[in-house]
Amino acid sequence: MNNSRWNGLYDFLQGGNVPQLPFMPIFMRFCAKQAGVKYRNFILDVETHCQANIQIAERFQSCWVNVMSDPYCELEAYGARIEYPEDNLPLDKIILYPEIDRLKQLPRIDYDMAKRCRDRIEQIAYYRTSAADAFLITGWVEGPIAEYCDLRGMEGAFLDFYDNPALMKQSIRIILDNAREFIGRQIDAGADCIGIGDAAASQIGHDLYMEFVFDGECELVEYIHSRGALAKLHICGNTGGILRDMIATGADIIDIDHMVDNYPDQMQYLKPTQFFCGNIDPVSIIRNGSEEQIIQAVKNIIHVTGKKMIISGGCEIPPDTPPEHIDAMNHAIACCPLEKQN
């Protein structure tokens, strides 16, 4: 691939001729481990995070760098007290809003005072100085239902769909207003793309998704586009029942997890400037499979999707994945040049 302008991804997204599909795996804990840094530092130290991402993106020929590490950046800005073990995922042990009525005082986030949010903005500025044009610089926000579930806890949030829908929608409105400001600041700092992570949306079914989530995701995508950036929508889990709606949000890149098996039928709804990203099982295939199985899985996806898929795992690459398995993914991509695809 061309090692400039996002490693060929820019031309690919514009419908141009590129020799092979882009490679866009989600490296977080894998990134820290391969770079030899403790995960607490990967999360909390701007330079450590960015240097690790650049190093691992170069090593494994990935086309992007990002600010991803955990879902608690914005939750901490709302007032949560997050624990950061030295070399493991952060812990949110206390539900911030256990009583629904407290959500009436849900605040607008002061991003000048929210350290982790400021760090993410600084990470993007660091990338802009150190890796502009080489990699797609991607910021991140939590989607409306993901952030609501973080604030209320999953059990409380799911009860609210039925017991407190009006207050839930009011709270989601504030979440969206905060997300828009955070998006704007990341784009101002130099983000080429903003990812929207809305994992809980795969757990609620089509009807609740359309009533509580879809319009908010559309609003964020539209705002991202109005600011001149790309939008990437990530909902892990089985999103087969809402995949057409995810496409309808207008996101440029739509992540699909390995459990989604109807994506070939949904490709017809993709606009020329929209692409799927995924969807190899990150555990049973990428981590635990043989190199031959990995290569075959990549080839199968390319055969089915042609030029409409960016190759990745269905979700995060596990930290103990053998690095040669990631090399095998790249080898498979190189073995399937696009000019030979139908």
Side-chain angles (χ1 to χ4, degrees):
M1 291 286 283
N2 180 10
N3 192 31
S4 63
R5 197 55 168 156
W6 315 338
N7 226 0
L9 178 62
Y10 178 83
D11 289 340
F12 177 81
L13 294 176
Q14 298 298 313
N17 293 321
V18 294
Q20 63 191 47
L21 291 178
F23 186 42
M24 200 174 184
I26 299 176
F27 292 148
M28 292 191 287
R29 290 174 296 167
F30 178 88
C31 179
K33 182 175 182 178
Q34 292 298 313
V37 301
K38 300 297 185 183
Y39 206 61
R40 179 196 292 158
N41 292 338
F42 182 80
I43 295 172
L44 298 178
D45 185 79
V46 170
E47 187 172 348
T48 297
H49 181 95
C50 294
Q51 288 181 350
N53 263 275
I54 293 170
Q55 174 189 337
I56 301 309
E58 290 176 342
R59 161 66 180 84
F60 293 103
Q61 303 176 57
S62 173
C63 63
W64 71 325
V65 290
N66 57 69
V67 300
M68 297 170 69
S69 61
D70 65 284
Y72 298 143
C73 172
E74 291 144 278
L75 185 63
E76 188 171 276
Y78 280 107
R81 295 186 177 182
I82 309 300
E83 294 183 18
Y84 297 96
E86 181 181 44
D87 203 21
N88 210 330
L89 292 169
L91 302 172
D92 173 32
K93 293 185 175 181
I94 299 175
I95 295 173
L96 189 58
Y97 287 88
E99 296 90 24
I100 181 72
D101 286 345
R102 288 183 56 202
L103 283 174
K104 295 175 182 178
Q105 285 77 47
L106 189 65
R108 292 295 300 268
I109 294 175
D110 184 347
Y111 288 101
D112 293 323
M113 298 299 295
K115 181 185 182 304
R116 286 207 55 203
C117 293
R118 293 201 319 270
D119 285 351
R120 284 196 169 179
I121 294 165
E122 290 177 14
Q123 287 167 6
I124 291 168
Y126 187 104
Y127 288 140
R128 179 54 56 190
T129 299
S130 304
D133 292 336
F135 304 103
L136 178 76
I137 299 170
T138 304
W140 207 264
V141 296
E142 293 300 302
I145 193 58
E147 190 60 39
Y148 189 88
C149 287
D150 285 343
L151 292 165
R152 282 280 287 138
M154 190 74 78
E155 181 179 353
F158 281 22
L159 290 173
D160 291 344
F161 282 121
Y162 302 99
D163 296 340
N164 300 284
L167 184 52
M168 187 179 193
K169 290 177 181 179
Q170 292 174 23
S171 302
I172 287 175
R173 178 68 264 160
I174 297 172
I175 290 169
L176 290 169
D177 290 342
N178 284 328
R180 282 169 60 101
E181 182 175 353
F182 194 26
I183 287 167
R185 292 198 178 208
Q186 292 180 75
I187 294 173
D188 288 343
D192 302 305
C193 176
I194 299 292
I196 303 167
D198 219 1
S202 66
Q203 304 299 306
I204 62 177
H206 177 266
D207 291 346
L208 291 177
Y209 175 79
M210 294 304 296
E211 181 178 355
F212 289 87
V213 182
F214 175 74
D215 288 343
E217 289 178 352
C218 290
E219 177 183 331
L220 295 183
V221 169
E222 182 178 357
Y223 180 66
I224 292 166
H225 287 163
S226 76
R227 296 298 309 277
L230 297 168
K232 175 180 170 74
L233 180 58
H234 179 87
I235 303 176
C236 44
N238 190 348
T239 57
I242 61 170
L243 186 54
R244 184 172 178 180
D245 307 303
M246 292 171 65
I247 295 170
T249 65
D252 305 278
I253 301 171
I254 298 110
D255 287 359
I256 48 174
D257 212 337
H258 72 278
M259 292 171 279
V260 180
D261 59 10
N262 66 336
Y263 66 89
D265 299 330
Q266 305 298 312
M267 287 174 56
Q268 61 182 309
Y269 302 112
L270 291 169
K271 295 180 181 178
T273 55
Q274 288 184 296
F275 300 86
F276 287 145
C277 182
N279 77 322
I280 302 170
D281 189 327
V283 177
S284 67
I285 299 296
I286 297 177
R287 186 186 71 180
N288 297 340
S290 67
E291 292 183 34
E292 291 76 16
Q293 288 175 309
I294 293 167
I295 290 171
Q296 189 58 52
V298 174
K299 288 182 175 180
N300 288 344
I301 287 177
I302 294 175
H303 175 73
V304 170
T305 62
K307 295 184 178 182
K308 297 303 289 184
M309 179 73 84
I310 299 167
I311 298 299
S312 177
C315 199
E316 178 189 1
I317 302 298
D320 53 350
T321 299
E324 56 268 24
H325 287 193
I326 309 302
D327 293 333
M329 295 178 75
N330 267 311
H331 175 71
I333 294 170
C335 288
C336 297
L338 287 180
E339 60 267 23
K340 293 184 180 180
Q341 299 302 310
N342 294 327

